[in-house]
Amino acid sequence: MIELNNKGSSRLVFLTKNYAIKVPRCCVKPDNGFYGKVIGFLEGWKANRYEYIWSKSKTFDFFCDVEYSFLFSIVIIMKRATPLDREQFLNLEKFNFAYEHKDDSYGIIDGETVIVDYG
C-alpha cells in the first residue's frame, strides 16, 4: 500500500513500507496556468536536486541519504523514516536547523534521528 503525503509546498511524497518517493508538485502557485505549473514544478525539482547534492556530499551525517535519483533528481527515493512525536521534536539537541524547523522535517531511521526534508 502506498500513502500520499501532500503537505509539502513544492513536492508530493509517496510513502511505501520502506521508502519515501519525492516528486515535484506542479500546481503550487496561485496562478494555476502554465507559468504557475512550471514554476511549481521547478521549485520541487530544485528541492530534490539540493537533497541529492547534500546527501552525496556526506558533509553532515544527520541528513537522510538519497538512495536513488532518477531523471536528474526529478524523482528521488529515500528510506522511510519513523516520524518524531512532539516530545522527541522538542527535545532535539543536536539539530538546530533544517530547511523548515518543524516536527515532520525530522525522522528516525535505524535508531538515529535524521533530517528528512532539507531541500
Side-chain angles (χ1 to χ4, degrees):
M1 178 151 156
I2 296 177
E3 299 171 46
L4 172 64
N5 178 331
N6 62 356
K7 296 177 187 175
S9 62
S10 66
R11 297 180 287 179
L12 296 172
V13 181
F14 297 93
L15 299 167
T16 69
K17 180 180 178 186
N18 297 315
Y19 294 99
I21 304 163
K22 297 181 178 184
V23 297
R25 285 182 176 268
C26 60
C27 299
V28 295
K29 295 294 178 193
D31 169 16
N32 281 332
F34 179 76
Y35 173 79
K37 290 176 182 175
V38 169
I39 296 300
F41 175 82
L42 291 174
E43 287 175 352
W45 186 8
K46 182 175 78 170
N48 276 0
R49 192 68 188 153
Y50 282 141
E51 285 185 357
Y52 175 77
I53 291 167
W54 277 101
S55 170
K56 297 308 171 196
S57 76
K58 301 294 185 191
T59 303
F60 301 108
D61 63 351
F62 48 79
F63 285 150
C64 181
D65 287 335
V66 172
E67 301 285 320
Y68 306 99
S69 172
F70 301 100
L71 301 170
F72 301 101
S73 303
I74 291 175
V75 177
I76 61 171
I77 301 175
M78 301 171 148
K79 287 184 181 175
R80 182 174 180 169
T82 303
L84 297 182
D85 62 32
R86 192 73 180 147
E87 186 68 28
Q88 290 169 314
F89 175 69
L90 294 174
N91 289 322
L92 286 175
E93 295 175 9
K94 175 175 163 179
F95 307 100
N96 59 2
F97 72 93
Y99 178 71
E100 295 176 297
H101 189 65
K102 56 184 186 174
D103 55 358
D104 62 358
S105 292
Y106 303 88
I108 299 172
I109 296 177
D110 299 329
E112 297 291 324
T113 302
V114 293
I115 299 175
V116 297
D117 183 4
Y118 51 96

